[in-house]
Amino acid sequence: GVKTIVSVFDGNSHSDSRWHTGHELQKENYEKIILEVLKNKELGLIFKPKHPQSLKSRIGSIYELLIECCSTGRCLILDQNTNYQSPVPAVLAGLASDICIHTDLSSGTAAIECASAGKPVLLIDREGAPFSILNQLQYGKTRFYNWEETISAIKEFNRSNKKTDIGNWSELINYLDPFRDGLSAQRIGNYLNCLLEGFNKNLNLDII
């Protein structure tokens, strides 16, 4: 019965914030959007954690709030996992959503994957990534500095019936992915096949 489904990508965290996003920042990434969804019954939520097996320990007491949100029937965790990380592609969450949120500008691969599939994607630059090419995206429409700004954008997106430029990547996506046809694996395979054929023929590397 929701009007807008939001997917949120959790790129993992570490107890020592010198080496990775700290747990405290990741807890807030869950808490802020969960509280909004609990207040607003028009919103549904999908979480896509990169390391679902460590989610409970990483977000601590916020995990109870997450379970409460899931009990409403309007929140889902894509928690399939392996010994290493989630086997679920980010775009699966993206395609099941109306709008996506990536909470880390310095590693925007999940965001790019979903934007390439034509989904509106919001970015939150909380750590500060001044040299990222993603800074070319419009501030206040697609790129934000905190959750308060981002939640305001989600509300605007919801009110507009999704007819808005919120989450629009059109100014950059052609540069990042000029194909957007779902055939990147085929192109990579063809390229690697050409390399292998050249090596098998003992051709010079420059010729290959």
Side-chain angles (χ1 to χ4, degrees):
V2 302
K3 182 177 177 182
T4 299
I5 299 176
V6 181
S7 60
V8 178
F9 302 112
D10 162 12
N12 201 20
S13 57
H14 193 281
S15 56
D16 189 335
S17 59
R18 292 176 301 173
W19 313 120
H20 202 294
T21 301
H23 290 337
E24 290 306 313
L25 187 146
Q26 203 60 258
K27 288 177 186 177
E28 194 171 311
N29 285 338
Y30 280 83
E31 182 181 31
K32 294 284 188 181
I33 189 63
I34 287 172
L35 291 175
E36 181 61 30
V37 168
L38 288 173
K39 286 190 300 183
N40 187 345
K41 293 185 178 180
E42 290 190 339
L43 295 180
L45 185 57
I46 298 174
F47 283 110
K48 165 59 178 73
K50 187 173 183 178
H51 287 260
Q53 63 268 42
S54 64
L55 178 60
K56 187 174 182 179
S57 62
R58 288 190 294 111
I59 65 174
S61 60
I62 304 301
Y63 191 79
E64 295 177 13
L65 191 64
L66 174 59
I67 297 304
E68 179 186 345
C69 194
C70 289
S71 71
T72 66
R74 294 184 290 114
C75 179
L76 176 69
I77 313 166
L78 299 182
D79 57 1
Q80 299 94 321
N81 65 79
T82 65
N83 290 332
Y84 302 100
Q85 62 188 44
S86 170
V88 178
V91 74
L92 178 65
L95 291 173
S97 309
D98 298 296
I99 190 166
C100 312
I101 302 175
H102 196 290
T103 57
D104 183 358
L105 201 71
S106 61
S107 62
T109 51
I112 293 170
E113 193 174 325
C114 293
S116 293
K119 305 302 294 190
V121 182
L122 308 182
L123 290 166
I124 311 178
D125 184 18
R126 301 184 65 198
E127 299 96 324
F131 304 110
S132 171
I133 192 174
L134 301 181
N135 281 298
Q136 293 182 23
L137 294 166
Q138 187 177 358
Y139 172 71
K141 291 292 184 182
T142 302
R143 182 172 53 87
F144 306 90
Y145 291 127
N146 55 59
W147 268 104
E148 288 71 25
E149 295 175 340
T150 308
I151 288 172
S152 293
I154 293 170
K155 290 178 178 177
E156 182 181 335
F157 181 84
N158 193 38
R159 284 193 302 267
S160 72
N161 291 316
K162 309 172 186 66
K163 296 176 181 177
T164 175
D165 58 352
I166 294 290
N168 189 331
W169 283 54
S170 60
E171 64 223 67
L172 187 60
I173 196 62
N174 285 334
Y175 174 78
L176 296 173
D177 183 0
F179 297 100
R180 298 203 305 285
D181 57 5
L183 298 177
S184 59
Q186 180 179 322
R187 279 188 291 277
I188 293 169
N190 288 341
Y191 176 72
L192 291 173
N193 189 54
C194 289
L195 291 178
L196 288 171
E197 285 181 352
F199 287 135
N200 289 335
K201 294 177 181 177
N202 296 316
L203 296 178
N204 177 277
L205 181 60
D206 292 333
I207 293 174
I208 295 174

